Amino acid sequence: MKQTGMDRAYRIADELIKDKLRDQAPDDFADIESMDEADILVVQGVHDYIQQVLDLAGTRFSLVSPSALSTAALRQDQVMFVNCGAKFDRRGLSKITNFVEDGGFLFTTDWALKDVLEPAFPGYVEYNQRRTRDEVVRVEIHAEDDPFLRTLIGPEDDPQWWLEGSSYPIRILNSDKVEVIISSKELGSLYGEPAVFITFPVGLGRVYHMISHFYLQRSETRTARHRKSAGSYLNEKAIKREEMGKYQRMGSDDLSLSDVESAYTSRSVLSQVLLEKKRQMRRMKDKQFANADDT
């Protein structure tokens, strides 16, 4: 299959993240790389293709249909990705609720806000009944309290987020529980809700959700910086000169800075979720050992 420009952007973004983590956070890199197909479950949808991003990154995962989920064996150490457009019966929704309450991580996109989160986790977030147009908005990443994202996202970053036509804006119902990781003033001005990527705890687990799709199909070159080459972005990320040839062979010369920056932001979010799952399981094991010592 011939790769698109955004396919190449995702491959470059993933390699860039790996290079930075190898150099600055080798333990985090090892944690993420250790995940395999038993740890990551992707539920097929209609409009999003999270599995395509994972494939481009060489990340191993298991792919299931929504109907097969109701009989699938789930574990608390897994991350489940649900693509936009996936439909579940009552049994499937109940299984998702129990999966998160028992410690699993759930990651959903766009229409899953109404199809999954509202019925499975009522009272946290909801669709605000205003569909977006097909457009790109500037976003702000709130990484002050997240050492991992601070490692990847620098102050010079000016990322954009593609909104699929008819995306569902996220209305937050429980501001005490729901944390906004990425927001957009532009999105808020256009559609009344600024949240782009949110998370909240449920039981022992956690839910993540983003507006639009995880696989960003395009970006825009709004500024002179965005119109620069992808090589300029690699320079911003302090990639060593001897490594530039690797990225050129991956097609960086044919991409704009904005293409790679958008893919890099999307891929950073995925890496943050996978790493947090590893940290959560480590904390749970430590707690189990402590309780065993007390007895």
Side-chain angles (χ1 to χ4, degrees):
M1 182 183 295
K2 184 177 179 180
Q3 287 193 349
T4 67
M6 284 308 293
D7 285 347
R8 293 196 301 273
Y10 269 99
R11 288 188 63 240
I12 290 169
D14 181 72
E15 189 64 23
L16 178 55
I17 289 171
K18 288 178 179 177
D19 280 345
K20 289 186 70 65
L21 292 180
R22 285 190 195 101
D23 183 49
Q24 299 181 28
D27 290 342
D28 290 345
F29 173 76
D31 272 346
I32 292 173
E33 287 294 289
S34 69
M35 301 193 81
D36 61 25
E37 61 270 9
D39 301 317
I40 301 173
L41 186 67
V42 179
V43 181
Q44 293 171 311
V46 179
H47 307 296
D48 199 1
Y49 306 96
I50 294 173
Q51 62 269 28
Q52 186 171 346
V53 176
L54 295 170
D55 265 334
L56 290 168
T59 302
R60 294 165 292 177
F61 61 91
S62 298
L63 186 67
V64 300
S65 67
S67 60
L69 183 66
S70 60
T71 58
L74 302 179
R75 307 191 319 264
Q76 66 176 181
D77 61 343
Q78 290 177 312
V79 181
M80 181 192 301
F81 293 90
V82 175
N83 280 303
C84 174
K87 297 286 189 181
F88 301 93
D89 58 19
R90 184 177 301 177
R91 185 179 177 187
L93 289 172
S94 178
K95 189 147 188 179
I96 290 173
T97 302
N98 293 334
F99 166 72
V100 177
E101 289 179 342
D102 289 342
F105 275 21
L106 174 69
F107 190 118
T108 61
T109 64
D110 214 12
W111 288 4
L113 176 63
K114 185 174 180 64
D115 295 336
V116 178
L117 298 193
E118 287 188 23
F121 308 98
Y124 289 93
V125 290
E126 68 178 7
Y127 168 40
N128 79 340
Q129 304 301 317
R130 296 179 63 182
R131 298 190 179 206
T132 71
R133 297 185 294 272
D134 183 331
E135 56 196 318
V136 175
V137 295
R138 177 175 278 128
V139 299
E140 299 82 42
I141 300 173
H142 308 289
E144 297 86 357
D145 299 325
D146 192 315
F148 179 79
L149 285 180
R150 284 205 311 272
T151 298
L152 298 179
I153 307 295
E156 72 281 356
D157 282 281
D158 181 22
Q160 304 172 79
W161 206 263
W162 173 64
L163 301 176
E164 170 78 21
S166 297
S167 288
Y168 287 1
I170 307 163
R171 175 179 291 145
I172 295 173
L173 302 177
N174 188 337
S175 58
D176 292 332
K177 293 284 189 178
V178 179
E179 175 189 359
V180 179
I181 300 174
I182 302 178
S183 65
S184 169
K185 295 176 183 176
E186 192 173 351
L187 176 66
S189 176
L190 289 169
Y191 301 106
E193 308 294 342
V196 171
F197 181 52
I198 59 95
T199 182
F200 55 88
V202 178
L204 297 176
R206 181 165 287 274
V207 173
Y208 294 87
H209 178 78
M210 64 171 52
I211 189 174
S212 193
H213 296 166
F214 188 80
Y215 179 77
L216 305 176
Q217 295 184 18
R218 67 181 179 91
S219 62
E220 287 182 354
T221 53
R222 294 186 173 190
T223 67
R225 175 181 171 276
H226 287 149
R227 288 189 291 274
K228 290 181 179 180
S229 69
S232 296
Y233 190 66
L234 298 175
N235 285 328
E236 288 183 3
K237 295 301 179 187
I239 290 300
K240 298 173 183 177
R241 179 171 303 197
E242 59 267 26
E243 294 177 342
M244 282 295 189
K246 171 179 65 176
Y247 290 101
Q248 289 172 337
R249 290 189 293 274
M250 294 172 70
S252 62
D253 288 345
D254 299 326
L255 298 171
S256 69
L257 182 151
S258 64
D259 289 336
V260 176
E261 183 176 53
S262 294
Y264 182 86
T265 304
S266 172
R267 196 63 179 85
S268 295
V269 164
L270 185 146
S271 298
Q272 191 263 359
V273 172
L274 296 182
L275 180 61
E276 181 54 32
K277 165 48 72 174
K278 283 289 188 177
R279 289 171 175 165
Q280 179 228 30
M281 292 309 301
R282 199 171 289 124
R283 290 192 298 267
M284 292 175 70
K285 288 180 180 178
D286 289 344
K287 186 176 180 179
Q288 290 172 356
F289 288 143
N291 289 340
D293 290 341
D294 290 340
T295 59

